[in-house]
Amino acid sequence: MDGRGEGAEEPPQDSPQEQEDEDDDEEEEEDEEGGVRITAQLLKASSGEFALESILLLRLRGRGIAHLGCLGDCTNLEWLDLSGNAITRLGPLAALKALAVLNLAQNRVARLEPLASCHNLQSLNLAGNRLGSLARLRCLSGLRRLESLRLRDPRTGIANPLCASTPTYRATLAAMFPGLKSIDGERVSGRGSELYQLCRDLDSSLGRGSTAGASTAAEAPQRAAQPWVEAGFWEARTPRRSSIVEEAYRQFGEALRECRELGRRADDSIAQAQRALGSRHDPSSFVF
């Protein structure tokens, strides 16, 4: 008889997300074994402020930081650059309610849950970290002021693993965060986005035309070059004045003439006064 029993259940297996969380926890523990810890002395020396609450801007790029320490005590911090470090855990950042700009590029971040409390965040740079899936960013969906998000830097080539595994991640981010105006430094909405899209469409059409045009150039009939603008576009035009401008010029001219008349009368009055004073004898000139 089998001692295991027919009704024995197999132990539950972890979901892919839970397994990914466990792997990230193990990596974070290994990464935090060394590295620099942020202290009050480090913050004061870097900012020149005596009180942590007075720090508004902080740049700690490339300091070998692995532990954020007491960074959460800078409750009025608005601009923070932590790029080029060895940071894995973002817990203290949850206390930075006034934070508007955060640069975490080139770190070891795989989880973003603490940033969900930074409701004033407008610009976030996460290029060059360990974000493996778009699910890691869903916790940020409550950041209504977020306008700029960077997961990849085209200039330096640094990115996150999800950028390679999910080629269409930019479109998904645009749907996930409707308020975004810039993704990876490229405008997706707002001023300049239409021009940017027009340039991209033009480049793509020129690229297709350069390959297909070689075979059809001989077959297409030659057409005369057409001007870009209408005839006479570059000729100087006489300025036109509206009735309002004409009336303003007229009133200004009348006011100027009145000022000149008042000035002339003032000069005459001063001259008469000087002559009257000059004809009187000075009492101090008499000797008694």
Side-chain angles (χ1 to χ4, degrees):
M1 183 175 179
D2 191 355
R4 293 178 297 177
E6 297 179 357
E9 297 181 357
E10 297 181 358
Q13 296 182 353
D14 294 336
S15 64
Q17 184 65 46
E18 293 176 346
Q19 184 63 40
E20 185 178 355
D21 292 342
E22 293 178 0
D23 295 341
D24 292 337
D25 291 337
E26 293 177 358
E27 292 179 0
E28 290 174 357
E29 292 176 358
E30 293 177 358
D31 293 335
E32 283 192 344
E33 292 179 358
V36 178
R37 176 182 292 272
I38 291 180
T39 61
Q41 291 77 10
L42 175 62
L43 294 174
K44 294 177 181 180
S46 301
S47 63
E49 298 287 347
F50 292 99
L52 300 185
E53 297 82 1
S54 302
I55 302 176
L56 302 179
L57 184 149
L58 194 58
R59 183 173 183 177
L60 298 172
R61 176 184 298 180
R63 299 287 191 92
I65 297 172
H67 309 267
L68 294 182
C70 62
L71 184 59
D73 295 336
C74 303
T75 52
N76 295 314
L77 192 62
E78 299 178 359
W79 192 97
L80 177 60
D81 184 359
L82 290 170
S83 60
N85 287 290
I87 300 168
T88 57
R89 300 178 187 268
L90 304 179
L93 299 184
L96 305 181
K97 308 299 184 182
L99 190 63
V101 178
L102 176 60
N103 187 354
L104 284 169
Q106 290 184 296
N107 277 279
R108 303 173 184 177
V109 177
R111 304 174 69 170
L112 304 172
E113 286 79 2
L115 299 183
S117 301
C118 302
H119 297 292
N120 198 47
L121 196 60
Q122 301 176 19
S123 177
L124 177 59
N125 188 349
L126 295 169
N129 279 278
R130 297 179 177 178
L131 300 173
S133 65
L134 288 170
R136 293 297 190 185
L137 287 93
R138 296 191 183 280
C139 60
L140 306 181
S141 58
L143 302 181
R144 303 303 181 187
R145 296 188 178 183
L146 188 62
E147 297 182 352
S148 176
L149 178 61
R150 189 185 292 268
L151 299 180
R152 177 178 174 272
D153 191 339
R155 295 174 300 176
T156 59
I158 59 175
N160 284 270
L162 70 85
C163 299
S165 61
T166 313
T168 60
Y169 73 93
R170 297 183 73 252
T172 306
L173 287 177
M176 189 184 304
F177 303 97
L180 283 180
K181 296 181 179 180
S182 173
I183 299 177
D184 295 343
E186 298 180 359
R187 300 284 293 186
V188 294
S189 65
R191 180 178 297 178
S193 59
E194 294 82 2
L195 178 60
Y196 177 79
Q197 186 62 37
L198 177 62
C199 293
R200 292 192 63 179
D201 295 342
L202 182 59
D203 290 340
S204 61
S205 62
L206 291 176
R208 292 193 300 267
S210 61
T211 56
S215 59
T216 59
E219 301 174 2
Q222 295 291 334
R223 293 187 300 175
Q226 299 295 324
W228 288 11
V229 296
E230 299 178 357
F233 179 83
W234 303 108
E235 296 178 1
R237 300 177 182 179
T238 55
R240 294 183 299 176
R241 294 180 179 176
S242 64
S243 58
I244 298 178
V245 176
E246 291 289 350
E247 179 63 19
Y249 271 105
R250 186 185 66 79
Q251 294 182 8
F252 178 75
E254 293 179 356
L256 185 59
R257 286 192 293 271
E258 292 179 1
C259 291
R260 289 175 178 172
E261 180 64 21
L262 292 174
R264 185 185 64 79
R265 292 179 184 179
D267 291 340
D268 293 342
S269 299
I270 293 173
Q272 293 176 4
Q274 289 177 344
R275 287 195 297 270
L277 292 174
S279 61
R280 295 177 58 183
H281 297 287
D282 187 2
S284 62
S285 61
F286 295 97
V287 178
F288 294 94

